[in-house]
Amino acid sequence: GAGVSQTPSNKVTEKGKYVELRCDPISGHTALYWYRQSLGQGPEFLIYFQGTGAADDSGLPNDRFFAVRPEGSVSTLKIQRTERGDSAVYLCASSLNGGKGDTQYFGPGTRLTVL
Amino acid sequence: GQQVMQIPQYQHVQEGEDFTTYCNSSTTLSNIQWYKQRPGGHPVFLIQLVKSGEVKKQKRLTFQFGEAKKNSSLHITATQTTDVGTYFCPNQAGTALIFGKGTTLSVSS
C-alpha cells in the first residue's frame, strides 16, 4: 500500500512568513511523529501524536511551532514567523500503535528553506 | 536519559571490503532498531533486535545485540555501492526516536 506522503516536497519562504507542512500517514496508523533534520545531523524529534492528541510535544523548539491532527489521520505542522534557522528537512513518520519498539515509517520529507 | 553512542562517524571503504558500525549504550536497552538513510533520502527501517545475544542476517548485513543488551553492531560483508548511506541506531525515549549522527558509509568502486 501507499507509504507516508508529505507535501510540499520543497518550500521556500521569506523570513517572518508563516508556513504549513502536511503529512499523510499510512492508513490505519494511529501514531504520527514529526522530526526535522539539518544537514549532517540525524533527525531531531519534534512531536508525537497518538490519534488526535499530541502525546509528546517536548521536542518543539519554541512556541512558533505548532502541529495538529484533528481527525487522527493527516497532520499539519505550522511554523509562525519563520527564521533562517528553521531551514531543514521536516520528516514525518507513522507507526501502527505508537508502542515502544514499534517500527516507524518515514515519509520523503519537506525541504524548508527560509531566505 | 540513556545515551547511545555510535562509531565511527564516517567510514570509507573500497567496494568489496567489509564494514562494521557499533552502537554502545551506558544502560541496558530493551531493544535496538537500525535505520538506513541514503543520500537525499529518508530513514528506512532495517531491523529490530530484542533478545540478549541476538543475531539476525539480511543478505550481506549481519546485526548483533550484545549479551548485556548494551551494545549492538551492524556488519556488511563485501560492500557494494548500493550500501552507501548513513546508518543509525536511534535511542528510544518513550516512543520517540532520538537519533545521533549515525555512521556515514561511502564506497568507492
Side-chain angles (χ1 to χ4, degrees), chain B residues 11-24:
Chain B
Q11 182 80 59
H12 177 80
V13 299
Q14 295 287 324
E15 190 172 24
E17 292 182 337
D18 291 357
F19 158 76
T20 305
T21 174
Y22 302 89
C23 289
N24 297 293

Side-chain angles (χ1 to χ4, degrees), chain A residues 33 35 37 40-45 48 55-56 89 91 98-109 111, chain B residues 2 9-10 30-31 33 35 37 40-45 48 88 92-102:
Chain A
Y33 310 80
Y35 296 83
Q37 188 172 24
Q41 305 293 318
E44 173 193 8
F45 168 73
Y48 154 58
D56 182 355
V89 175
L91 294 163
K100 195 169 183 177
D102 217 16
T103 300
Q104 294 188 23
Y105 298 89
F106 284 80
R111 181 175 298 278
Chain B
Q2 57 191 20
Q9 187 173 342
Y10 300 99
S30 56
N31 64 77
Q33 297 183 349
Y35 286 78
Q37 185 173 22
H42 57 275
V44 174
F45 174 79
Q48 177 170 261
F88 296 99
Q92 289 191 267
T95 57
L97 297 175
I98 308 301
F99 289 83
K101 293 186 177 182

Side-chain angles (χ1 to χ4, degrees), chain A:
Chain A
V4 178
S5 62
Q6 293 185 245
T7 55
S9 55
N10 280 285
K11 176 71 177 177
V12 180
T13 191
E14 294 180 342
K15 181 173 178 288
K17 298 289 188 184
Y18 168 82
V19 296
E20 288 190 353
L21 312 178
R22 176 188 167 111
C23 172
D24 235 306
I26 293 172
S27 177
H29 280 193
T30 63
L32 185 148
Y33 310 80
W34 284 98
Y35 296 83
R36 72 175 175 181
Q37 188 172 24
S38 301
L39 197 61
Q41 305 293 318
E44 173 193 8
F45 168 73
L46 296 177
I47 187 169
Y48 154 58
F49 286 90
Q50 181 57 254
T52 60
D56 182 355
D57 64 356
S58 61
L60 294 178
N62 51 60
D63 61 7
R64 294 187 298 106
F65 289 75
F66 188 70
V68 296
R69 194 186 185 201
E71 296 178 359
S73 178
V74 169
S75 176
T76 305
L77 179 65
K78 308 180 181 195
I79 310 175
Q80 298 178 320
R81 304 184 303 280
T82 51
E83 299 177 357
R84 293 196 180 90
D86 298 334
S87 296
V89 175
Y90 287 80
L91 294 163
C92 175
S94 71
S95 71
L96 187 60
N97 297 313
K100 195 169 183 177
D102 217 16
T103 300
Q104 294 188 23
Y105 298 89
F106 284 80
T110 293
R111 181 175 298 278
L112 175 67
T113 304
V114 182
L115 301 177

